Amino acid sequence: MQAIDINAGEGLEADILEIPDTVMSVKNQDGSLRVNNKYIVDKDNQWYASTEDGILMDKEETEILGIPYKIKKISVPENITKVSVGEENQLKELIFEETDLDHLPQITLQNLQNCHVTVDENILETFLKENRTFFTAASGNTVSSAQNRDVSYFVENGGMISTDGTLRKVFTAGNTSVVLSDYVKSVGKSALANVADASILQLPQTGRKVTLEKDCLAGSGIQIIRCFSEKQDDEALKDLEQAGGRDDITVELASVSKEGYYYSMSEKDGVQKAILISAPSDITSFDGTVTAEDGTPISITEIGDQAFVGCNDLVWADLPESVTKIGGQAFLNCKGLEGILIENKEQITIGDHAFDGCDVMRFIGSNAMQAVMENDYDPMVTDSYGSGNNRNNFFYCPTGSAGYGSHAIQFSDASGVEGYTLVDIGEGSMMLYGLDSDGT
């Protein structure tokens, strides 16, 4: 026997896998063979080896190729260049002995669940930043430093958060705001020191108290702390003096509409600004209707960062002419969102990652003649046919417009299409139609 090749989806299981000296290739696709207790490799095999714990290695013992299902803790020596973690595993603790980030082994982190990883303190923040998608609260995975294993971290909303709720560092922020997740109970010293562009610190919408620790805002560009309850507002005002940061920081209390939308009102140079902060998670459509508690209609001018995050039932969004900006990650991971219409005919600013994760999006139609795509954001709205540049794109912009990304399309002058509208075609479905110069 010269090869062991297990096809994907086989669903096989063995307590021990013995590999004789003749085997030159072991392929266990998708971990379809679960080895429970140990791998045993013949000492005369020229291509593979096994450890006393039954771990499968290459002959040079620089690659960990198979980890028995029973193993829950593993220390990875400095000389290891690759760690293969199968889809079925019980790893609860993974310790890297390598202290140089550039020399950490290649590893299938996506297969970890509820696992605690330890790295050197000098590379902790960078390691977590680069691998943040694998260390979310939902994954159950956490990271700590070898020098202080009692404090573990995960990432939510681009923030490095300890398991006791302290925000240690912000890795990524919205284009205008830092939105704290509900896991944050306190903001640690210098946590926002690298956030120069964002001007708003948005506290958790639960309204729970968040402690602003000494100098937590030092070095940041934060100008507004946005709160969602009077208690939260009062505590933020108390902590403001010790928080550091700019001298002109203000604390504001968000308003809630009759429909359940949170929004913020402000005025500058006589111009009213109304930011939609968040939407109810159970909405299926949005047409811009927001009504104050006293019955006054609110003309929304800006869709805030992450405003529709968590709105998994949202299918259609018709943004009225008053909307001049769509914030960063505004519709992030809206899994049911099929179409968006931008009614503004002059200029629209679209924040980075505004439409990312909208997997069933059929179209975006914009009537704005000028677009500002922050950080050169260039969203792709495509069909499932073809690949790469051969796919059809469905981000429509007006004929003769400018500023949109390379994946936006517009009709020729001869087409007579100068704008777009949404039409209800019944049974909860909408269709995007082109309009001529007469608006028909």
Side-chain angles (χ1 to χ4, degrees), residues 224-370:
I224 298 172
I225 299 173
R226 182 175 290 151
C227 304
F228 291 87
S229 70
E230 291 185 2
K231 179 180 179 181
Q232 202 177 59
D233 186 86
D234 291 341
E235 294 296 334
L237 284 169
K238 290 179 184 178
D239 292 343
L240 192 55
E241 185 175 349
Q242 70 171 10
R246 297 166 56 114
D247 294 332
D248 59 349
I249 296 177
T250 58
V251 178
E252 69 172 32
L253 182 61
S255 302
V256 62
S257 75
K258 284 187 172 183
E259 299 85 3
Y261 295 98
Y262 279 102
Y263 65 94
S264 171
M265 300 289 297
S266 62
E267 184 176 335
K268 186 175 182 180
D269 299 327
V271 178
Q272 281 277 351
K273 185 178 180 180
I275 302 174
L276 183 71
I277 299 170
S278 72
S281 60
D282 60 351
I283 62 168
T284 58
S285 65
F286 176 74
D287 63 3
T289 301
V290 179
T291 312
E293 285 291 343
D294 64 2
T296 304
I298 303 297
S299 181
I300 296 297
T301 60
E302 182 177 326
I303 306 299
D305 296 338
Q306 302 182 23
F308 289 94
V309 168
C311 297
N312 296 322
D313 296 325
L314 179 65
V315 181
W316 311 106
D318 189 346
L319 308 183
E321 280 198 59
S322 58
V323 173
T324 60
K325 181 174 182 179
I326 301 170
Q329 301 180 339
F331 293 92
L332 181 69
N333 295 331
C334 287
K335 299 299 184 183
L337 186 58
E338 296 187 25
I340 294 176
L341 177 65
I342 299 169
E343 300 271 14
N344 190 304
K345 294 180 174 61
E346 297 178 1
Q347 178 171 302
I348 188 71
T349 298
I350 299 178
D352 206 5
H353 306 295
F355 311 119
D356 287 11
C358 299
D359 299 333
V360 299
M361 183 85 81
R362 291 165 49 199
F363 60 78
I364 298 173
S366 175
N367 287 292
M369 291 301 296
Q370 180 68 45

Side-chain angles (χ1 to χ4, degrees), residues 4 37 43 150 188 213 265 295 347 354 376 386-387 391 393 408 426:
I4 298 174
N37 296 328
K43 62 181 178 59
D150 291 335
E213 297 183 4
M265 300 289 297
Q347 178 171 302
D376 295 322
S387 61
R391 284 189 173 183
N393 294 306

Side-chain angles (χ1 to χ4, degrees), residues 92-319:
K92 299 302 176 189
E93 194 169 356
L94 181 63
I95 303 169
F96 289 106
E97 297 178 7
E98 176 60 63
T99 60
D100 186 338
L101 186 70
D102 293 334
H103 293 132
L104 282 180
Q106 173 189 346
I107 180 171
T108 47
L109 292 171
Q110 64 269 26
N111 289 337
L112 296 180
Q113 190 75 24
N114 300 313
C115 183
H116 180 74
V117 176
T118 302
V119 299
D120 189 82
E121 172 67 33
N122 292 325
I123 63 174
L124 172 64
E125 290 185 0
T126 306
F127 173 82
L128 192 52
K129 180 179 180 180
E130 292 183 355
N131 299 288
R132 57 188 179 274
T133 57
F134 307 119
F135 292 92
T136 62
S139 73
N141 298 325
T142 56
V143 183
S144 70
S145 74
Q147 290 79 1
N148 187 6
R149 300 190 66 221
D150 291 335
V151 182
S152 303
Y153 300 93
F154 60 96
V155 178
E156 283 292 318
N157 283 9
M160 179 180 179
I161 306 169
S162 67
T163 50
D164 66 0
T166 299
L167 178 70
R168 168 168 165 165
K169 193 178 188 67
V170 174
F171 293 140
T172 58
N175 294 319
T176 60
S177 61
V178 175
V179 180
L180 300 188
S181 81
D182 291 340
Y183 295 100
V184 175
K185 298 178 182 178
S186 64
V187 181
K189 182 177 180 179
S190 302
L192 281 77
N194 63 326
V195 182
D197 296 333
S199 61
I200 300 171
L201 174 62
Q202 184 167 301
L203 303 188
Q205 290 188 33
T206 57
R208 185 187 60 205
K209 171 189 173 182
V210 173
T211 301
L212 302 178
E213 297 183 4
K214 183 175 174 58
D215 294 329
C216 67
L217 302 181
S220 76
I222 297 300
Q223 300 175 45
I224 298 172
I225 299 173
R226 182 175 290 151
C227 304
F228 291 87
S229 70
E230 291 185 2
K231 179 180 179 181
Q232 202 177 59
D233 186 86
D234 291 341
E235 294 296 334
L237 284 169
K238 290 179 184 178
D239 292 343
L240 192 55
E241 185 175 349
Q242 70 171 10
R246 297 166 56 114
D247 294 332
D248 59 349
I249 296 177
T250 58
V251 178
E252 69 172 32
L253 182 61
S255 302
V256 62
S257 75
K258 284 187 172 183
E259 299 85 3
Y261 295 98
Y262 279 102
Y263 65 94
S264 171
M265 300 289 297
S266 62
E267 184 176 335
K268 186 175 182 180
D269 299 327
V271 178
Q272 281 277 351
K273 185 178 180 180
I275 302 174
L276 183 71
I277 299 170
S278 72
S281 60
D282 60 351
I283 62 168
T284 58
S285 65
F286 176 74
D287 63 3
T289 301
V290 179
T291 312
E293 285 291 343
D294 64 2
T296 304
I298 303 297
S299 181
I300 296 297
T301 60
E302 182 177 326
I303 306 299
D305 296 338
Q306 302 182 23
F308 289 94
V309 168
C311 297
N312 296 322
D313 296 325
L314 179 65
V315 181
W316 311 106
D318 189 346
L319 308 183

